[in-house]
Amino acid sequence: MDKDNAQPLDKNVKKGVAKLVATVFAMFAFGFALVPLYDVFCDITGLNGKTATTAAAVNENGIDTSRTVKVQFISRTAQGAAWQFEPEMNSIEVHPGEMKFVKFYAKNESGRHGVAQAVPSVSPGQAANYFQKIECFCFNQQPLDSENEVWMPLQFYVDPELPADITELTLSYTLYDITEKAQS
């Protein structure tokens, strides 16, 4: 191979490597941008069942006694979380606008002090905007010593503006062990 042909090949290789590196950075940036873009999309469309992360105002619109909505409660612990976590009841019947209070049980079975955080989701997704939490253990981290247990409160109402075709909704919580993250 003569020297004259080697230089254009080196330039082509350098251009190719530069394009690959730029592509990797662009993909990395796009990956980071997906989370906020997805949140905006869910806020606009009401999909994904995300609920508010702050307390709602107390209902002032009255109670709609002409209909009943069944609220189911599901709880689970994330993989690797050595916690027991469950609702005190599996479901409850509510009139839209009616304030309800339920509790969730948690026990730290990890053998060490731990901190957990519950992340809620409502389905169907369009009902998430109508499920109003006044008080929720999910608003705060839950520190708990080894083998200790706690009953955590949830006070809520279903907004009377909930579409009439939604007669049942499910509130699901996933409990994550965030001990390492909370300590840093």
Side-chain angles (χ1 to χ4, degrees):
M1 188 159 154
D2 68 51
K3 245 182 175 179
D4 293 335
N5 289 337
Q7 285 182 348
L9 183 62
D10 287 342
K11 285 183 181 180
N12 288 339
V13 169
K14 287 180 184 177
K15 283 182 183 179
V17 168
K19 286 181 183 178
L20 286 174
V21 168
T23 302
V24 167
F25 279 115
M27 289 171 49
F28 189 73
F30 182 70
F32 269 102
L34 275 179
V35 173
L37 289 173
Y38 183 71
D39 287 341
V40 168
F41 174 77
C42 290
D43 287 343
I44 292 170
T45 62
L47 297 175
N48 192 32
K50 285 187 169 189
T51 64
T53 57
T54 57
V58 176
N59 177 31
E60 296 177 0
N61 297 334
I63 298 172
D64 180 359
T65 57
S66 68
R67 64 186 179 136
T68 303
V69 176
K70 181 178 182 179
V71 179
Q72 296 180 330
F73 303 105
I74 298 174
S75 64
R76 68 179 213 83
T77 54
Q79 186 174 353
W83 289 64
Q84 185 179 346
F85 178 55
E86 59 195 41
E88 71 175 329
M89 62 184 71
N90 292 327
S91 66
I92 190 170
E93 299 280 331
V94 302
H95 294 293
E98 179 182 18
M99 193 76 61
K100 288 293 184 177
F101 183 86
V102 296
K103 295 181 281 186
F104 282 72
Y105 172 81
K107 181 177 182 182
N108 178 355
E109 298 177 334
S110 69
R112 60 182 170 77
H113 175 79
V115 180
Q117 179 78 49
V119 177
S121 178
V122 173
S123 71
Q126 14 342 0
N129 293 330
Y130 302 97
F131 189 85
Q132 305 298 326
K133 296 179 300 242
I134 304 300
E135 177 185 4
C136 184
F137 58 91
C138 64
F139 295 155
N140 302 306
Q141 297 175 353
Q142 303 296 322
L144 201 58
D145 287 331
S146 175
E147 300 305 318
N148 283 359
E149 56 191 23
V150 65
W151 284 96
M152 303 177 296
L154 168 64
Q155 186 176 13
F156 71 94
Y157 67 91
V158 175
D159 193 306
E161 299 296 317
L162 178 74
D165 64 327
I166 300 176
T167 59
E168 190 173 299
L169 58 91
T170 302
L171 175 62
S172 173
Y173 283 103
T174 302
L175 190 73
Y176 293 91
D177 185 342
I178 61 163
T179 305
E180 291 179 18
K181 188 176 186 181
Q183 292 173 347
S184 56

